[in-house]
Amino acid sequence: MEEDSHLANLYKSVSSLKGILNYETLAEVIPLSLYESFGFERTFLFLPQLEGLKYAASYLTSPAEGEARPRRPTEKLPPSLKDLTIKVDRNPQLKQAFREKKTFRQINPQKTFTKEKDLQNLAKTLDLESAIFIPLVLADEDLGLILVEEGKGEKLEEDILAILDTFGDSAALALENAHLYGETLKTSENYRTILEQMGDGVLMIEPNHQISFYNEEARKTLGFSEEELLGKEEHRVLNIFDLKGKRLCGEQECLIANMAKSGLPAGKAGVFSGEVFMETADKGRLPAFLHTRTICNVKGEVVGTVLIFREITKELELERTRREFVAMASHELRTPLTGVKGFLDMVLEGDAGKINPQVRTYLEDAYESTERMVRLVEDLLSASRVERGKIEFKLQNIDLLAVASEVVTDLSEAAKRKGLKLEIVPLRPSQVQADPDKLREILINLVGNAIKFTDEGEIMISFQTEKGKLITSVKDTGIGIAKKDQPHIFKRFYTVETTLARERHGTGLGLYISKQLVEGMGGEIWLESELGKGSTFSFSLPLAKGKK
């Protein structure tokens, strides 16, 4: 019956700890629960600090004889108690208790603790005659210590030590849960503060499509009130369009927020990034850069979507000004450069009379530099036309092999000067639907780059048909391109930052222009490369109409 009573008290004490997630409140409840369940009149809790275990909470009673026990502390704590520090490692008996996760009793601790100086000082401070020490341990982490004083002249049964062991396990688990909950709240609040203070607008959308969070920048940029945003379905508030006017969000659904609704591999998420127009509260359309990410749990289930956006009106205006300047400057430069190149060519051909070898060397260097400047201006003009959408494609059925052969003839002298083998692996038929001038420009860029970045070996142009497309590949044995550079190689003005690459005077525009031209004719362009072993640039174009 007594054992049943102890178990009932244990259940009562453990139950009192459940659901308490505030760390400070739990620290106060642990000593109180031992009093209310077992009647311990002096109970102390020590929790870890940087320097060691320090006093955190207690429950003390000092009833007069014949009086009922009060339910709140009446005894004053010794002032020096809060200054005591208990270091587990320098108290052998306590260290063993923590290692074994075992409660122990110490009779007359003021004298019997000889090596445990911290515990001896504690016993003297509290004037203990007998005490029980309950280590709080979870997953080998020391989470605290409970000290229970045995009443003067009384000694608890041995079996209650095992009961207190179990209570210690429950208290340790409750403390760890409260600590983690507090850290989670703190982290969550920190994240919320960061999001609130971001210069970009932030919206969070729940799986049920309701907007659960917005920051001030989002509200200010879009012009909506809290009532118009919070708790509302995203497609009823947000109207988002791509640059061509296609609706991405609004009316009946939000395609952006639905990106992953069809299911995703575990741990993956749907992502959208790009320039869009976002409709404001007054129905105006605001240019913005939008990044969204659909957040999924490890099972691939959607748990929400975050939208981050910023207005880019000023950036677009600056970009427009830049494009206009580049176009104007390029046009102004082309005419005088063409003239300089023509006159240098005439002098080198002897139209101005015989020239000595040294002067010829100078003139040839000047001619080569002028050619580079002309190519740069032409690239800038082409890039400017691409950006402004001013390129017109005159698609027709043409013989790609014939165009490639012309390019090889034009560039064969450049390849020969470097001792490179330049050849074509022919394919018949090789009819594609393309603009002949644009196709020639693409091939000149790719073959020219191959010659520029290859010092020895060969450059091979080959073809193959696949699924209604003709694939052209330009393979070289040059310096190759590092993995880190490959995702960026078709971006405007991107150049590989290596010593070998810098020596070749690249502008970073040829591949960008080639990509735009290929895609403008309904094809794709890609590369395969290994640093030090060469590169293969390939592009596809639709087969000529009527060809398969």
Side-chain angles (χ1 to χ4, degrees), residues 385 390-400 403-404 406-407 431-444 514 516-523 539-544:
R385 287 192 292 269
K390 297 296 184 181
I391 291 186
E392 294 182 4
F393 293 94
K394 298 177 180 178
L395 301 180
Q396 54 187 276
N397 290 350
I398 58 173
D399 188 343
L400 194 153
V403 177
E406 291 175 7
V407 170
Q431 295 279 320
V432 293
Q433 189 177 33
D435 183 315
D437 293 333
K438 308 301 186 294
L439 178 56
R440 177 180 173 82
E441 186 173 353
I442 293 164
L443 286 168
I444 286 176
S514 297
Q516 305 306 313
L517 296 180
V518 168
E519 291 178 352
M521 293 186 290
F539 65 93
S540 65
L541 288 173
L543 287 171

Side-chain angles (χ1 to χ4, degrees), residues 287-302:
F289 184 84
L290 174 66
H291 178 84
T292 74
R293 184 177 182 86
T294 302
I295 310 300
C296 301
N297 60 23
V298 293
K299 297 178 180 179
E301 299 166 338
V302 177

Side-chain angles (χ1 to χ4, degrees), residues 119-192:
L119 297 184
Q120 188 179 56
N121 290 336
L122 177 62
K124 289 179 179 179
T125 300
L126 296 175
D127 192 24
L128 299 176
E129 290 189 5
S130 180
I132 294 173
F133 295 87
I134 309 170
L136 305 181
V137 186
L138 185 67
D140 297 325
E141 184 178 357
D142 300 345
L143 300 180
L145 174 69
I146 298 173
L147 185 156
V148 175
E149 182 187 28
E150 289 186 286
K152 290 181 172 58
E154 68 172 320
K155 183 178 179 182
L156 297 172
E157 303 88 344
E158 286 295 328
D159 59 350
I160 202 172
L161 296 183
I163 297 291
L164 294 177
D165 268 339
T166 304
F167 175 82
D169 292 340
S170 298
L173 180 60
L175 285 168
E176 178 68 3
N177 287 340
H179 172 73
L180 292 175
Y181 179 76
E183 289 298 307
T184 301
L185 283 182
K186 189 187 300 182
T187 302
S188 177
E189 189 59 34
N190 288 341
Y191 284 146
R192 189 179 185 89

Side-chain angles (χ1 to χ4, degrees), residues 481 485-492 494-496 508 511-512 527 537:
I481 301 168
D485 292 308
Q486 292 180 22
H488 313 287
I489 203 70
F490 292 105
K491 292 180 180 177
R492 185 182 58 196
Y494 187 85
T495 55
V496 176
L511 291 176
Y512 166 74
L527 84 152
F537 282 84

